Amino acid sequence: MQRAPLAHSHEFALKETSPNIGAGAVTSDKLSCTYDLVEQMQYLYVRVVKATDLPAKDVTGSLDPYVEVKLGNFKGVTKHFEKKSNPEWNQVFAFSKDRIQASVLEVIVKDKDVISDDFVGRVWFDLNEIPRRVPPDSPLAPQWYRLEDRKGVKAKGELMLAVWMGTQADEAFPDSWHSDAAMVGSEAVANIRSKVYLSPKLWYVRVNVIEAQDLIPIDKSRYPEVFVKVNLGSKFVRTRVSQSKNISPMWNEDLMLVAAEPFEDPLILTVEDRVGPNKDEILGRCVIPLQIVQRRLDHKPVNSRWFNLEKHAVVEGEKESKFASKIHLRVCLDGGFHVLDESTHYSSDLRPTAKQLWKPSIGILEVGIISALGLMPMKTRDGRGTTDAYCVAKYGQKWIRTRTIVDSFTPKWNEQYTWEVFDPCTVITIGVFDNGRVGGGDKASETKDSRIGKVRIRLSTLEADRVYTHSYPLLVLQTSGLKKTGEVQLAVRFTSSSFINMVYMYSQPLLPKMHYIHPLSVIQLDSLRHQAMQIVSMRLSRAEPPLRKEVVEYMLDVDSHMWSMRRSKANFFRIMKVLGGLIAFGRWFDQICNWKNPITTILIHVLFIILVLYPELILPTIFLYLFLIGIWNFRWRPRHPPHMDTRLSHADAAHPDELDEEFDSFPTSRSPDIVRMRYDRLRSIAGRVQSVVGDLGTQGERFQSLLSWRDPRATTLFVTFCFIAAIVLYVTPFQVVSLLIGFYMLRHPRFRRRLPSVPLNFFRRMPARSDSML
């Protein structure tokens, strides 16, 4: 029975691997220096540039040419041009060497026809004579080749080509047509290529609403209840209702929103009067383009301005603007903050928005996304399970997406990417997804990309200049339970450019200084983070090809703030583990006091006497002890980066109902009976928490009662004791008092009683306010 948990934990464990990569190898190949965290993949590249002087084939004397590149069973086709004898394609085809089963490459020019395409001419190459190219060598220059007919006789027309053997390090690789994706239609090729994305530059927009003047309420017979609503795109925030019930209300309230460059939507302020429940009348409106708003880099306040409020009134079918009312505002773009779009616990970027405040980089992070193993089928195609996997990595503002490997449970990407590092205490997130746009037909755009799993790596846990090659388990938590969907093999290297700058970063605040000079509330941060995530996902989903909204939200952990019984349990046991050291120390000290091991207790007595007689040794002893613990633990230091821990997350033992609750929508979509059951369960847990909080409050109130005279006799005794103790401690040397207290606490069990001590009895008799509660 004991083997099952071990096997289960081994399945979800991190595995060290030894891929055939160039890092650390001594080789003459230039690839090992520039692209050394992935395995080399050999490709045959064919660049079809253009053709000239092609013969006419149709009866009308025109030609609709295209090129077919054929290598064994693999065939790549360029787009065709209508009625053009000198077409230009400039298209690259890449054939994986592992799948080449032919000895001859054929490049055929054809004429597009309604019934059957006509043969125009061809060029062929012997694979044994194709040159090899290794970057950073300059690209191979294309050459003109005379077309031949089917019999090998020179025909009319020439074709400009470049043919070479290379690797995935070739600059032509990302935009080339791949033989691995031969089944993908030409219109869907863009959705399977690798791509680099940049998050939009995000700003906090701060609107300090000071006051308004000369408002004209609709109903002049009542006191207006005025508030200001600020809109930016689809987001809005508003002030409280002004306490001054007149036509010149005051607020002096800060409102904050998130905006992204380039600024598309203006800032729209409306002054509204609450005339009834759920009924507001607009008293004025103001539009402020963000392009003209002042950018603030520090905590100094910006200049305030008066803005005219425009009120539209319909008079005889025409619109008329009145500018009698004004609003006093202080508007700025706060560049000194870092706009959080991730949780601060695993953020990949902590720099302020304004580039002028950035510090120099401290190093480079290189990640080689090598392959995946044992992926689960994520969908069905032609009656069988299949997976079209790709990876997404996010660090800082840079997102990368690898190419999609079509129809493979063991995809090999072998793509390497680089990021600048500005803070070692940051996290890179790497996710694996199934491409829903491959082979989906007309409904491909509606199909979501399925999540296969993700990995987080904290840079501060990596040794500098060391290459980490590990296979990370891909875990997905579903309503049915924890599921391993495969493994992803990565090679990671963090290179420090300045050790002094990196060490200096550990003395700096985690976030920019504006977060501490003008701190934002927890509610504000949560709301602004949600806005930022929505903006980032919307912008990246509009890129071409798009990084899908569900992918961005999964990478940014958009649902991390939602209630989860499983996470609550995990966090509780995390706290207990942290407190476990204090509890263990308390038990050890109790054993010392009870003379469980007399030799240890005597040594503690000797150490205690030395420290009391020579108090200047106390701090050096403490720091020396911590130093020795650190040196001792060095032998068992972690040898690999952290990964998703199923035990820590309580994912491997979560109850199905708890998981169903975790994945429930908000607001809930479950039946009333299930909601009632979960509510009752939550009430019982909250009742226990309430009791613990109440007990803590009781202990605190007892401390206050010592001097509050709620119990006159107890306070009289305590005050008298304090006066006598002050006199005794004044005339008695401190070392003598310390020795007496120490010897009393460490006294032999023969001189102890099982009953509580007098001070504890006295404290427990102190009154608390719990008897005054209803």
Side-chain angles (χ1 to χ4, degrees):
M1 295 297 291
Q2 294 296 325
R3 292 183 182 178
L6 292 174
H8 198 258
S9 61
H10 179 72
E11 181 187 2
F12 297 145
L14 191 70
K15 300 172 186 174
E16 191 162 2
T17 59
S18 301
N20 184 25
I21 61 176
V26 180
T27 172
S28 59
D29 195 347
K30 297 175 186 176
L31 182 68
S32 64
C33 301
T34 58
Y35 217 68
D36 60 344
L37 293 184
V38 292
E39 298 175 345
Q40 291 190 28
M41 298 177 71
Q42 301 293 329
Y43 285 90
L44 168 63
Y45 288 96
V46 181
R47 182 186 293 277
V48 181
V49 184
K50 58 185 176 180
T52 186
D53 197 25
L54 296 178
K57 286 292 179 180
D58 292 347
V59 179
T60 58
S62 63
L63 182 72
D64 304 331
Y66 70 92
V67 174
E68 180 181 285
V69 183
K70 191 175 181 182
L71 184 63
N73 295 327
F74 295 103
K75 183 172 65 175
V77 179
T78 67
K79 61 184 178 181
H80 79 278
F81 291 96
E82 293 186 3
K83 299 179 181 180
K84 198 168 186 179
S85 59
N86 299 309
E88 291 190 18
W89 294 283
N90 199 24
Q91 196 167 338
V92 182
F93 298 85
F95 296 88
S96 176
K97 188 178 179 181
D98 295 339
R99 299 189 179 186
I100 293 178
Q101 296 178 343
S103 59
V104 175
L105 169 70
E106 284 187 281
V107 183
I108 306 168
V109 180
K110 291 186 175 183
D111 174 34
K112 190 79 173 175
D113 210 343
V114 178
I115 301 173
S116 64
D117 298 345
D118 297 325
F119 177 88
V120 178
R122 71 172 183 176
V123 179
W124 65 273
F125 298 87
D126 187 343
L127 295 188
N128 295 321
E129 297 179 1
I130 292 176
R132 175 177 170 79
R133 182 206 166 215
V134 180
D137 289 352
S138 298
L140 199 67
Q143 298 181 25
W144 285 105
Y145 293 89
R146 186 74 177 267
L147 295 178
E148 298 178 355
D149 60 16
R150 296 184 188 275
K151 297 179 180 180
V153 180
K154 298 294 182 184
K156 186 181 179 183
E158 289 182 302
L159 185 63
M160 181 179 275
L161 298 171
V163 182
W164 71 95
M165 295 295 297
T167 66
Q168 74 270 33
D170 202 295
E171 62 268 13
F173 179 77
D175 295 326
S176 60
W177 174 94
H178 292 275
S179 58
D180 297 341
M183 60 167 289
V184 180
S186 57
E187 67 281 351
V189 168
N191 293 318
I192 66 170
R193 286 179 176 161
S194 57
K195 208 73 177 176
V196 176
Y197 303 85
L198 289 177
S199 292
K201 189 175 183 179
L202 301 175
W203 292 82
Y204 281 151
V205 183
R206 186 185 294 270
V207 182
N208 179 225
V209 184
I210 304 172
E211 59 179 329
Q213 280 189 359
D214 303 327
L215 298 179
I216 306 173
I218 306 288
D219 185 2
K220 296 182 174 58
S221 62
R222 52 179 287 279
Y223 293 110
E225 297 182 12
V226 185
F227 63 91
V228 178
K229 184 190 289 185
V230 182
N231 282 72
L232 185 61
S234 60
K235 301 297 177 186
F236 74 90
V237 288
R238 62 184 184 184
T239 66
R240 65 186 186 278
V241 174
S242 175
Q243 298 298 316
S244 48
K245 312 287 186 182
N246 52 44
I247 61 171
S248 297
M250 297 186 68
W251 295 276
N252 198 21
E253 189 173 339
D254 267 355
L255 302 176
M256 294 193 72
L257 290 157
V258 179
E261 289 187 355
F263 301 126
E264 297 175 348
D265 300 305
L267 200 64
I268 302 174
L269 289 88
T270 54
V271 180
E272 301 185 19
D273 180 14
R274 178 155 295 163
V275 296
N278 300 322
K279 186 179 181 183
D280 303 322
E281 295 281 356
I282 297 178
L283 304 182
R285 184 171 174 271
C286 174
V287 179
I288 305 173
L290 289 179
Q291 289 83 350
I292 67 169
V293 172
Q294 183 178 344
R295 303 186 178 196
R296 184 174 73 162
L297 306 183
D298 52 25
H299 62 281
K300 296 176 182 176
V302 298
N303 296 326
S304 60
R305 284 183 57 188
W306 286 95
F307 293 87
N308 290 325
L309 288 174
E310 178 183 348
K311 182 177 179 183
H312 294 290
V314 179
V315 180
E316 296 181 359
E318 295 183 357
K319 230 175 217 184
E320 181 184 278
S321 297
K322 300 179 181 178
F323 295 95
S325 305
K326 293 184 177 182
I327 188 168
H328 195 194
L329 302 173
R330 189 178 281 114
V331 187
C332 68
L333 293 168
D334 263 330
F337 287 89
H338 169 67
V339 180
L340 292 162
D341 58 351
E342 306 164 284
S343 171
T344 50
H345 300 300
Y346 32 83
S347 183
S348 64
D349 189 12
L350 300 167
R351 294 171 294 170
T353 300
K355 202 168 184 178
Q356 302 93 306
L357 302 177
W358 289 4
K359 293 182 173 65
S361 65
I362 61 165
I364 290 176
L365 173 65
E366 297 166 279
V367 177
I369 302 174
I370 300 173
S371 62
L373 297 171
L375 297 184
M376 301 289 288
M378 304 303 293
K379 59 192 173 191
T380 56
R381 185 188 300 137
D382 300 329
R384 62 183 183 87
T386 184
T387 298
D388 307 314
Y390 68 93
C391 281
V392 174
K394 196 264 184 194
Y395 183 78
Q397 293 183 330
K398 180 179 174 181
W399 298 66
I400 65 93
R401 190 183 78 170
T402 67
R403 70 190 189 283
T404 300
I405 305 298
V406 179
D407 194 17
S408 175
F409 299 132
T410 56
K412 291 185 177 180
W413 295 285
N414 284 304
E415 297 183 26
Q416 183 170 335
Y417 297 93
T418 304
W419 287 268
E420 272 192 301
V421 177
F422 294 86
D423 194 314
C425 302
T426 46
V427 176
I428 181 171
T429 305
I430 301 163
V432 184
F433 301 88
D434 173 66
N435 196 329
R437 291 196 169 193
V438 176
D442 296 335
K443 296 183 179 180
S445 59
E446 301 175 6
T447 307
K448 289 188 175 183
D449 289 0
S450 304
R451 56 183 72 168
I452 299 177
K454 68 180 171 186
V455 175
R456 294 194 199 100
I457 302 174
R458 184 171 290 276
L459 270 59
S460 59
T461 62
L462 305 178
E463 297 177 17
D465 301 317
R466 176 184 164 187
V467 177
Y468 292 84
T469 54
H470 290 88
S471 184
Y472 295 81
L474 295 171
L475 308 173
V476 173
L477 197 60
Q478 301 173 339
T479 53
S480 56
L482 183 66
K483 189 176 182 181
K484 182 179 177 180
T485 53
E487 298 177 7
V488 61
Q489 189 176 3
L490 304 174
V492 182
R493 177 172 58 206
F494 170 53
T495 307
S496 172
S497 59
S498 173
F499 178 75
I500 295 175
N501 287 345
M502 185 169 65
V503 172
Y504 172 73
M505 287 302 298
Y506 279 88
S507 67
Q508 297 302 298
L510 191 65
L511 293 168
K513 63 180 183 180
M514 282 294 287
H515 284 267
Y516 306 97
I517 297 173
H518 287 300
L520 303 173
S521 68
V522 175
I523 297 175
Q524 269 185 314
L525 282 174
D526 191 55
S527 171
L528 292 171
R529 177 177 171 245
H530 187 67
Q531 290 181 40
M533 285 192 295
Q534 285 191 322
I535 291 173
V536 171
S537 63
M538 183 186 70
R539 288 287 180 94
L540 293 180
S541 65
R542 288 166 53 191
E544 190 58 45
L547 196 58
R548 307 288 286 272
K549 185 173 183 285
E550 61 272 15
V551 172
V552 177
E553 289 181 347
Y554 180 60
M555 295 289 288
L556 295 179
D557 271 332
V558 70
D559 296 326
S560 61
H561 65 288
M562 299 297 288
W563 160 257
S564 165
M565 180 71 75
R566 175 189 60 83
R567 283 200 199 103
S568 301
K569 287 181 180 178
N571 289 333
F572 173 76
F573 283 104
R574 285 172 62 199
I575 293 173
M576 293 306 297
K577 190 173 182 180
V578 170
L579 297 177
L582 295 175
I583 296 171
F585 177 79
R587 289 173 180 168
W588 173 80
F589 187 72
D590 184 64
Q591 291 176 356
I592 296 296
C593 293
N594 288 293
W595 292 69
K596 296 289 185 183
N597 188 335
I599 296 175
T600 305
T601 304
I602 292 171
L603 290 176
I604 293 297
H605 275 80
V606 174
L607 177 63
F608 175 69
I609 293 171
I610 293 172
L611 293 179
V612 169
L613 295 178
Y614 302 97
E616 64 274 10
L617 296 178
I618 294 176
L619 287 178
T621 302
I622 293 173
F623 285 111
L624 179 63
Y625 178 67
L626 294 175
F627 168 77
L628 292 175
I629 291 177
I631 294 299
W632 179 261
N633 289 339
F634 181 76
R635 298 169 57 191
W636 294 280
R637 69 192 185 277
R639 303 283 183 170
H640 53 75
H643 66 289
M644 299 296 183
D645 193 329
T646 56
R647 290 280 178 86
L648 180 70
S649 309
H650 277 247
D652 52 352
H655 192 274
D657 183 67
E658 293 175 1
L659 294 176
D660 183 69
E661 181 183 21
E662 183 173 339
F663 289 99
D664 189 10
S665 59
F666 189 87
T668 182
S669 57
R670 300 295 183 261
S671 65
D673 290 338
I674 294 177
V675 174
R676 187 182 300 110
M677 181 270 292
R678 290 173 180 170
Y679 175 64
D680 290 339
R681 180 176 63 194
L682 193 60
R683 285 175 64 192
S684 65
I685 295 172
R688 290 195 288 269
V689 173
Q690 174 182 283
S691 299
V692 172
V693 173
D695 290 341
L696 292 175
T698 297
Q699 306 308 322
E701 288 170 352
R702 282 174 176 166
F703 271 110
Q704 293 177 341
S705 296
L706 290 171
L707 295 171
S708 67
W709 296 93
R710 273 195 89 205
D711 184 340
R713 286 172 293 277
T715 303
T716 301
L717 289 172
F718 183 71
V719 170
T720 305
F721 168 78
C722 290
F723 180 71
I724 296 172
I727 295 173
V728 172
L729 293 175
Y730 181 75
V731 300
T732 308
F734 178 75
Q735 292 173 327
V736 174
V737 175
S738 300
L739 284 172
L740 290 174
I741 293 174
F743 285 142
Y744 176 77
M745 293 181 65
L746 296 171
R747 68 193 183 279
H748 196 273
R750 184 176 299 173
F751 305 105
R752 295 178 182 273
R753 293 189 303 168
R754 292 184 178 274
L755 298 176
S757 63
V758 173
L760 188 58
N761 290 334
F762 181 79
F763 177 73
R764 285 177 176 172
R765 290 178 176 275
M766 288 292 100
R769 299 186 63 83
S770 54
D771 51 355
S772 301
M773 290 184 63
L774 292 173

